[in-house]
Amino acid sequence: MPNDQILNKRVAELLLEAQAIKLSPEKPFQWSSGWLSPIYCDNRVALSYPDTRTFIKKALADVIKEQYPDVQAVVGVATGGIAQGALVADILELPFAYVRPEPKKHGMGNQIEGKLEKGQSVIIIEDLISTGGSSLKVVDVLRTAGIEVAGMIAIFTYGFETAEINFKEKNVKLDTLSNYNALIETALEHNYVNSSQLESLAAWRQAPDQWGK
């Protein structure tokens, strides 16, 4: 793999170019949690750009080959991790499954979609990590089913302290292709933000639940 910092910034650049990540300190976005944010990330947009999609799927596959060479299947987190996970599983020629937020309300009532066996070692693919709460629920579902979770890989993380605590408590190793610090550095270099906006972005990063109130 390329140097981590180079990779972090290149992925951030691609996400900014595709407008998968948008920065708007003056007109913030509202998350489903109710938080106001100067950053909005929807990495599914990157799937619409073949060069970006290819770069990301290869980078994810490289992390797995380097860090998790013995995993037996790839699992996507619904919905953002489904497409990326399937693309990566195809490269690695591994089985693929995905986990719903809750069991299906009809049919077989599945929460795990696809075929996984008890004792299998899997790697989880996620598109974005904020607090880590919804992502780690997938870990609980898999472990309850007797699946061994080797780790999780995400395209981007905001790097909130609460996420680090949550992953540590669940004993889950997290790798990411890019992160908040690389994003801000790249955004400044490519004039997506100016130096006067950095103070607002830094304040949000320190206390996202209080920012803008």
Side-chain angles (χ1 to χ4, degrees):
M1 286 184 63
N3 175 277
D4 283 350
Q5 188 174 9
I6 294 174
L7 175 64
N8 294 164
K9 292 184 68 174
R10 179 55 181 154
V11 171
E13 182 181 7
L14 289 170
L15 295 176
L16 285 165
E17 287 176 354
Q19 294 190 332
I21 293 180
K22 297 181 180 181
L23 300 172
S24 181
E26 285 79 22
K27 295 182 179 179
F29 307 96
Q30 185 167 29
W31 289 1
S32 59
S33 63
W35 288 3
L36 293 176
S37 171
I39 301 176
Y40 187 77
C41 179
D42 181 2
N43 291 325
R44 287 167 292 197
V45 174
L47 294 165
S48 298
Y49 297 84
D51 289 346
T52 298
R53 182 179 69 219
T54 298
F55 186 95
I56 288 173
K57 74 178 180 181
K58 287 182 177 178
L60 290 168
D62 285 345
V63 173
I64 295 172
K65 286 186 282 189
E66 182 179 298
Q67 301 291 332
Y68 307 94
D70 299 322
V71 293
Q72 298 165 296
V74 176
V75 176
V77 178
T79 59
I82 294 177
Q84 294 291 357
L87 290 167
V88 171
D90 194 50
I91 290 178
L92 299 175
E93 298 183 337
L94 288 174
F96 174 73
Y98 69 89
V99 178
R100 296 173 174 272
E102 57 186 29
K104 196 173 181 181
K105 289 182 168 55
H106 56 278
M108 297 295 291
N110 292 335
Q111 188 164 9
I112 299 174
E113 298 286 8
K115 185 66 174 176
L116 297 175
E117 303 288 347
K118 286 187 177 181
Q120 262 188 318
S121 176
V122 306
I123 185 72
I124 299 172
I125 302 294
E126 176 65 289
D127 68 331
L128 172 68
I129 302 295
S130 51
T131 65
S134 59
S135 305
L136 289 169
K137 287 180 182 177
V138 171
V139 174
D140 291 337
V141 171
L142 292 169
R143 286 175 172 169
T144 299
I147 309 300
E148 179 185 334
V149 176
M152 186 181 300
I153 307 173
I155 298 172
F156 183 80
T157 179
Y158 292 111
F160 294 143
E161 184 179 3
T162 184
E164 295 178 14
I165 293 170
N166 289 339
F167 273 86
K168 186 174 181 179
E169 286 180 348
K170 291 287 186 179
N171 193 28
V172 178
K173 185 177 183 294
L174 174 66
D175 292 278
T176 62
L177 299 186
S178 192
N179 54 62
Y180 173 86
N181 290 336
L183 170 69
I184 297 306
E185 188 175 343
T186 303
L188 188 60
E189 289 175 0
H190 292 271
N191 299 314
Y192 286 95
V193 293
N194 57 51
S195 56
S196 66
Q197 294 171 313
L198 290 182
E199 184 176 344
S200 179
L201 288 163
W204 171 81
R205 174 66 176 71
Q206 293 302 314
D209 58 332
Q210 298 299 318
W211 187 87
K213 294 182 179 179

